Amino acid sequence: MSSLSFRDYVCGWGAALINVVVTFPMNKTIFRQQVTGDNLHFTIRQLYSEGLLHLYRGFLPPLLQKTTTLGVMFGSYNNYRHVFDRHLTSNVSVCVSSMLAGATEALLTPLERVQTLLQGPRTHREFKNTFNAFRKIYSEHGAREFYRGFTPILIRNSFSNAVFFSLRIPLKSRLPKAKNQLQDSLYDFISGAVLGAVISTLFFPINVIKSNMQLQYGGPFQRTFTTFQLVYKQRGSSVRMLFRGVHLNYTRSLITWGIINCSFELLRGIYDRTFGI
């Protein structure tokens, strides 16, 4: 592993930490809408009635998941670029490296799986906490159960990474030249926010399918397309209903990816100055 790749693993981890602390309540609200189809007002009332303790129930899995996956996303992307830049054109190398980084992230599906079960309105009572969930899932259903929903996660990660890394720098370069560090960070926030909002909206139905697949605990595994057909029918055969909750998701992604992109660049600058890279 090169020193630059290690730097990106560390800075990706730190950017994710900052993001998760700020956005967890909003993420949980969106998740509930994805799996129930309820409106925003009802969902907020439901979460409020469960209390503050339950609002942050399931916080550890996304903290572990996001810090790990974003570290892997940025770090492995740098690793793959180091390999493919020698053999491919720059644009092709970016696309291939980003998709492979997304596939590498997908190996961490168990973290997302546990998070989904702990946040689910019907399944969160099955488990006492994160570690209890890991133990119970493994003892009752084996390691394979952790990878329920793997296929939509693989599709989502690979293609969303390709869009993100292909457009992140070009989009920022279209903005006026930054005159100081504050303005440069603002541009990082804007470019990350715009890309995050667009990407999350495009892939929102895949997340709906993934969430519904992962809410099933035990029993036979359903194919991704079979789950899509079931959810589509449950939502009144309406494409619009598959996007229920997308407005809050769009807003969440503006904030999330703005924070991640801005924090990553700030942390990378601090790392470079500290270690003389």
Side-chain angles (χ1 to χ4, degrees):
M1 182 190 300
S2 69
S3 60
L4 293 180
S5 295
F6 180 76
R7 175 200 64 186
D8 286 0
Y9 278 110
V10 172
C11 294
W13 185 93
L17 175 64
I18 295 170
N19 168 65
V20 172
V21 171
V22 174
T23 63
F24 182 79
M26 189 182 297
N27 291 342
K28 190 165 187 176
T29 303
I30 293 169
F31 170 80
R32 284 289 179 90
Q33 284 195 286
Q34 286 179 340
V35 299
T36 64
D38 294 327
N39 62 46
L40 177 61
H41 181 66
F42 180 85
T43 303
I44 291 176
R45 280 175 40 187
Q46 184 184 52
L47 289 171
Y48 179 79
S49 68
E50 293 174 5
L52 183 62
L53 182 62
H54 279 289
L55 176 63
Y56 273 90
R57 182 141 190 227
F59 176 77
L60 185 58
L63 181 65
L64 294 173
Q65 178 216 345
K66 290 296 183 183
T67 53
T68 306
T69 56
L70 276 178
V72 169
M73 171 183 163
F74 284 105
S76 63
Y77 170 73
N78 193 301
N79 273 334
Y80 289 126
R81 282 295 304 273
H82 183 71
V83 174
F84 290 111
D85 279 353
R86 306 170 188 173
H87 310 289
L88 303 173
T89 63
S90 178
N91 289 339
V92 175
S93 178
V94 168
C95 186
V96 172
S97 299
S98 57
M99 293 188 75
L100 287 174
T104 305
E105 283 182 75
L107 297 175
L108 301 170
T109 292
L111 295 173
E112 193 164 345
R113 170 76 166 124
V114 171
Q115 176 190 348
T116 298
L117 290 173
L118 287 175
Q119 289 184 345
R122 294 180 299 275
T123 56
H124 74 273
R125 295 183 180 88
E126 295 280 340
F127 311 102
K128 296 178 181 179
N129 52 49
T130 301
F131 298 108
N132 173 256
F134 273 106
R135 287 195 301 268
K136 190 171 182 179
I137 292 169
Y138 182 76
S139 64
E140 293 183 356
H141 300 287
R144 186 168 182 260
E145 184 70 20
F146 288 114
Y147 283 89
R148 194 182 291 269
F150 175 79
T151 299
I153 289 175
L154 178 64
I155 295 170
R156 179 199 65 194
N157 288 0
S158 298
F159 287 97
S160 62
N161 274 11
V163 176
F164 179 77
F165 283 110
S166 295
L167 298 179
R168 188 170 75 100
I169 295 176
L171 181 60
K172 183 182 177 183
S173 67
R174 293 300 184 98
L175 298 173
K177 186 176 181 180
K179 298 179 180 179
N180 51 54
Q181 179 62 55
L182 179 61
Q183 195 172 38
D184 189 61
S185 295
L186 176 62
Y187 290 167
D188 286 326
F189 183 92
I190 292 172
S191 58
V194 171
L195 276 176
V198 172
I199 291 170
S200 67
T201 300
L202 289 174
F203 291 95
F204 189 80
I206 293 181
N207 272 331
V208 172
I209 294 167
K210 184 273 302 181
S211 296
N212 278 273
M213 289 177 73
Q214 291 194 329
L215 273 178
Q216 182 180 345
Y217 183 57
F221 277 58
Q222 288 184 339
R223 294 180 180 273
T224 302
F225 186 68
T226 301
T227 304
F228 165 74
Q229 290 177 309
L230 290 172
V231 173
Y232 183 67
K233 186 176 181 180
Q234 290 170 0
R235 301 288 173 93
S237 300
S238 169
V239 173
R240 182 180 177 183
M241 288 299 292
L242 288 177
F243 284 87
R244 190 72 179 265
V246 74
H247 296 93
L248 186 56
N249 181 71
Y250 183 92
T251 304
R252 184 279 309 270
S253 295
L254 279 170
I255 299 170
T256 294
W257 282 99
I259 292 172
I260 289 171
N261 202 46
C262 178
S263 299
F264 177 77
E265 293 298 338
L266 282 172
L267 292 172
R268 190 159 65 167
I270 294 171
Y271 189 100
D272 288 350
R273 290 191 297 272
T274 302
F275 296 99
I277 295 178

